[in-house]
Amino acid sequence: MRNTLLATAATTALILTAGQALAETSPALALEAAAEATPVGDVIVTANRSVQAADRVGQSVTVLTAQAIEANQTVAVADLLTRTPGVTLSRNGGVGATTALRIRGAETDQTVAVIDGVKLNDPSGTGGGYNFGNLLVGDIARVEVLRGAQSTLWGSQAIGGVVNILTAEPTRPLEASLDAEAGSRGTTYLRGGVGGASERATWRLAASHYDTDGFSAYARGTEDDGYENFGLSGRANVRVVDGVSVDLRAVYSDGTVDIDGFPPPTYSFGDARETSRTRELVAYSGLNFELLGGRLNNRVAYAYTSTDRESLNPDQAVTDITFNAEGTNKRYEYQGVLDIREGWTATFGAEHEDSAFTSASPSDFDPDPEPATAEASIDGVYAQLQAEVLPGLTLTGGVRRDEHDTFGGKTLGQVAAAWALNDGATILRASFGQGFKAPSLYQLYSEYGNTGLSPEEADGWDAGVEQRLLDGRATVSATYFSRETTNQIDFVSCSGTETPEAAPLCFADGAPRFGYYDNIALTEADGVEAAASLTLGGFDIQANYTRTNTENRTPGANLGRELARRPKDAANLVVGYVWPFGLSTSVAVRYAGDSFDNASNATRLDGYTLVDLRASYPINDTLEIYGRVENVGDEVYETTRNYGVAGRGTFVGVRARF
């Protein structure tokens, strides 16, 4: 019982205005309506893939609303997420560079990213996961972070958790927004959108352009590595008749980043003139309809994602192309949400996903290699029941069955409990979930592939308490979490001295290779998340702390070592104050402790503390000016060995809402 009371940190936040009655919407539309505001005591989240009050959710969830996103003034979504409990990152340079996001110490490709209902993953990526490097704030209005194994409802990859992203939806007949900022390192960021809402239809179009001269991705380099990103998004919902609507959504981004690497003729790591371009398309079309007098909401949908990547190095003698890859996903989905009776809801569905990839790494030694190509498909069905069995006590149980065309079937389960006591002032939470992730196409069939890989599997649980004080003006919470992952996949390097008899996987078709992917058997992670918030007078204080212990439990040289690039300690503190004349100011502090850069723990990455200053002032109901100083102390640190980070930077901007 004492462990149960240790706690779930669900740092839920304020929300903007309520939309139309949720009973008249599909689950997808209701999800979007959740981005609008609701009283703090009745915050809505999407831990169960349908709209729920926060005090009925047993999982650990953090919600970032449009108000919180604007207050942060953050450009990259990954940097925004590191302000939440349990989330850390490592990046190979500045904004736009490859970015690994880890939730509770899980691998970056064990996190599911979802934008406007579409699951994002790149089959041509190393682990088939999502690279957060190109994801900018753009037209995003809400972000939800679900921590812990969530594969029952969200499918393969949701071992660490889920990042659920919603773009803005209009609420007035015609409205528009425009944001512009400029600052250090020749940085400019312009984004705007226009849309409208009527009784029968809502629509919005948005565009953004980000450009920066950057800094050297190589920590000791002398040349700047810049980044440029162009983004588009659009959405439309048309209510055909009462109870029937059509959804169309799309998000596109085109980003080019300068990268450092191993340029000729020395082929040693350092400054390079190499660039990497990534084009991503996310598209969704869905039909929502009600049955049983509105008690059964249904969604039938098709989703498509495409990620096209290419790297160029003009200093190569034979070919300037150093890498090209394309990954596509096609998903067909059905989901139903049935209101059985008051407090009892069933969620169920079926999914089919087809994935394909192609990848090649040309060089002066082999300018026209045969590309690696492969396809895979997976079918899944799931069902979940959520029931308020006693006043304030909500139990949730679910099961999922996946059938992979290569790795066969797997059944997963999940249970959760939320108990609201003292009129909701005290909430006890606990959850247990299982995860399953098939090896990526790249891990199986690329030049470093291993067709003998087994799927990754995980069991995770957490438990916690949230306490509201001072009539809701203060909240404190704590969470204990634990996860065990078997058959975790990692890259194994070859030294070049191996023989085919002793190390057959260091050879492909008789030729030596730099390494291969293999199951490293067993890893463990556990820790504590704590959070607190206080609103008093003009002050708003938010704080969180995470302790994450990770361990490689695989027999061998690295037994007992910490997993790479996972700080044991991470903390955030934001102290804001709204002055009587309308000026908002805040100080944000982020701390990450020591970690190791490699599996053997031979290379240490020192901890660091970053301090940001922010201010904003509303000129009138339409215009607001804002500014910030990032990394005030000009801290020099590394999240990945030998890769540079941004120093002190100053930025100013203006927001307009029409």
Side-chain angles (χ1 to χ4, degrees):
M1 185 61 159
R2 180 165 46 180
N3 283 341
T4 302
L5 296 178
L6 269 179
T8 283
T11 310
T12 31
L14 317 170
I15 302 187
L16 294 175
T17 77
Q20 297 178 346
L22 297 181
E24 298 181 0
T25 66
S26 70
L29 293 177
L31 206 101
E32 294 157 9
E36 313 298 330
T38 307
V40 173
D42 192 29
V43 173
I44 299 174
V45 297
T46 56
N48 298 303
R49 282 188 82 162
S50 61
V51 175
Q52 303 291 337
D55 59 8
R56 300 189 67 205
V57 174
Q59 295 92 344
S60 298
V61 184
T62 295
V63 178
L64 298 171
T65 63
Q67 182 180 6
I69 294 170
E70 288 189 354
N72 270 276
Q73 301 185 24
T74 302
V75 169
V77 172
D79 292 325
L80 184 69
L81 297 175
T82 58
R83 299 287 183 184
T84 65
V87 179
T88 59
L89 68 77
S90 57
R91 180 186 281 139
N92 295 354
V95 177
T98 299
T99 302
L101 190 81
R102 299 181 177 89
I103 298 179
R104 291 181 172 176
E107 295 293 334
T108 184
D109 52 47
Q110 294 172 344
T111 294
V112 166
V114 180
I115 185 165
D116 283 342
V118 181
K119 181 179 175 182
L120 305 176
N121 61 315
D122 176 14
S124 68
T126 300
Y130 179 68
N131 173 22
F132 281 84
N134 281 295
L135 184 60
L136 306 185
V137 169
D139 205 39
I140 292 172
R142 180 179 173 91
V143 180
E144 302 176 353
V145 184
L146 287 72
R147 297 183 292 277
Q150 306 286 341
S151 288
T152 301
L153 291 184
W154 293 97
S156 180
Q157 293 184 302
I159 290 176
V162 178
V163 176
N164 189 26
I165 298 163
L166 294 173
T167 57
E169 185 182 20
T171 58
R172 293 180 289 146
L174 183 64
E175 61 185 42
S177 63
L178 181 65
D179 296 56
E181 72 172 60
S184 298
R185 298 179 285 276
T187 301
T188 59
Y189 193 18
L190 179 67
R191 57 189 188 269
V194 61
S198 66
E199 183 180 352
R200 289 290 178 182
T202 62
W203 63 276
R204 183 171 173 88
L205 297 173
S208 64
H209 181 260
Y210 177 83
D211 191 29
T212 182
D213 295 337
F215 52 88
S216 179
Y218 174 49
R220 290 175 290 280
T222 57
E223 55 136 15
D224 290 338
D225 292 307
Y227 176 59
E228 183 176 15
N229 181 288
F230 175 70
L232 287 171
S233 66
R235 65 187 304 158
N237 173 265
V238 179
R239 190 168 64 170
V240 182
V241 297
D242 289 349
V244 179
S245 63
V246 175
D247 265 332
L248 298 173
R249 309 172 200 154
V251 178
Y252 174 78
S253 72
D254 185 345
T256 301
V257 62
D258 297 334
I259 59 176
D260 287 334
F262 301 87
T266 62
Y267 296 100
S268 58
F269 185 64
D271 282 338
R273 295 199 298 155
E274 193 167 0
T275 62
S276 177
R277 183 180 184 185
T278 301
R279 285 165 288 186
E280 297 174 303
L281 173 64
V282 178
Y284 172 94
S285 60
L287 174 67
N288 314 297
F289 58 96
E290 298 176 356
L291 297 172
L292 304 179
R295 291 175 50 229
L296 175 59
N297 291 290
N298 305 271
R299 176 174 62 89
V300 179
Y302 170 74
Y304 174 81
T305 64
S306 173
T307 305
D308 189 356
R309 296 179 291 147
E310 183 179 59
S311 297
L312 302 174
N313 188 343
D315 292 329
Q316 288 201 159
V318 180
T319 175
D320 59 352
I321 301 175
T322 59
F323 177 76
N324 57 60
E326 182 179 6
T328 60
N329 270 311
K330 301 175 182 178
R331 291 176 61 85
Y332 307 85
E333 304 176 346
Y334 165 75
Q335 179 176 304
V337 179
L338 175 63
D339 291 330
I340 301 172
R341 66 180 192 185
E342 185 177 356
W344 289 61
T345 303
T347 303
F348 47 89
E351 302 170 340
H352 173 80
E353 179 180 304
D354 294 317
S355 301
F357 100 114
T358 179
S359 176
S361 300
S363 67
D364 285 346
F365 306 105
D366 187 6
D368 191 22
E370 183 72 21
T373 61
E375 298 179 350
S377 64
I378 187 169
D379 297 294
V381 293
Y382 59 87
Q384 178 177 278
L385 177 65
Q386 185 180 60
E388 187 173 2
V389 295
L390 294 173
L393 176 59
T394 301
L395 302 181
T396 304
V399 64
R400 182 185 187 93
R401 176 70 179 181
D402 278 335
E403 292 286 346
H404 194 281
D405 64 356
T406 302
F407 297 99
K410 181 67 177 178
T411 300
L412 305 170
Q414 182 170 319
V415 293
W419 197 355
L421 304 171
N422 305 324
D423 294 326
T426 304
I427 303 175
L428 305 179
R429 293 187 172 96
S431 70
F432 169 83
Q434 296 178 303
F436 166 83
K437 179 181 178 295
S440 71
L441 295 177
Y442 189 90
Q443 290 167 339
L444 289 168
Y445 302 113
S446 72
E447 59 264 45
Y448 308 112
N450 175 7
T451 56
L453 291 172
S454 299
E456 299 175 331
E457 300 181 23
D459 292 333
W461 67 275
D462 59 20
V465 61
E466 176 182 314
Q467 181 65 51
R468 295 171 185 168
L469 306 166
L470 303 177
D471 295 325
R473 295 193 303 273
T475 302
V476 293
S477 61
T479 306
Y480 175 81
F481 63 88
S482 178
R483 182 186 64 256
E484 181 178 275
T485 304
T486 58
N487 295 326
Q488 184 161 305
I489 298 171
D490 203 355
F491 186 77
V492 179
S493 298
C494 298
S495 66
T497 61
E498 296 86 358
T499 64
E501 295 77 19
L505 289 176
C506 283
F507 296 80
D509 298 326
R513 57 181 179 172
F514 293 110
Y516 57 92
Y517 289 95
D518 203 1
N519 297 104
I520 63 171
L522 177 65
T523 65
E524 295 179 352
D526 62 64
V528 175
E529 297 161 350
S533 65
L534 172 65
T535 301
L536 190 61
F539 284 97
D540 182 42
I541 302 172
Q542 306 281 336
N544 63 68
Y545 166 76
T546 304
R547 172 76 173 187
T548 305
N549 304 303
T550 63
E551 187 175 356
N552 187 337
R553 298 302 303 157
T554 308
N558 294 326
L559 176 64
R561 306 289 189 188
E562 295 180 24
L563 301 184
R565 300 173 188 168
R566 291 156 174 84
K568 274 184 174 289
D569 301 292
N572 290 281
L573 172 66
V574 179
V575 179
Y577 182 72
V578 180
W579 298 80
F581 55 92
L583 175 68
S584 297
T585 56
S586 66
V587 179
V589 182
R590 177 156 60 96
Y591 168 77
D594 294 351
S595 62
F596 294 99
D597 189 65
N598 52 8
S600 65
N601 292 181
T603 305
R604 180 181 292 274
L605 300 173
D606 292 334
Y608 57 91
T609 301
L610 303 179
V611 179
D612 297 343
L613 302 178
R614 309 169 186 151
S616 63
Y617 180 75
I619 297 175
N620 52 41
D621 292 340
T622 299
L623 292 176
E624 180 182 40
I625 57 174
Y626 66 90
R628 67 187 181 277
V629 181
E630 298 178 346
N631 192 3
V632 173
D634 205 22
E635 180 94 350
V636 178
Y637 61 100
E638 293 178 321
T639 61
T640 305
R641 188 188 181 199
N642 290 330
Y643 282 95
V645 294
R648 184 187 300 111
T650 303
F651 305 86
V652 295
V654 59
R655 299 188 184 104
R657 302 291 182 262
F658 307 98

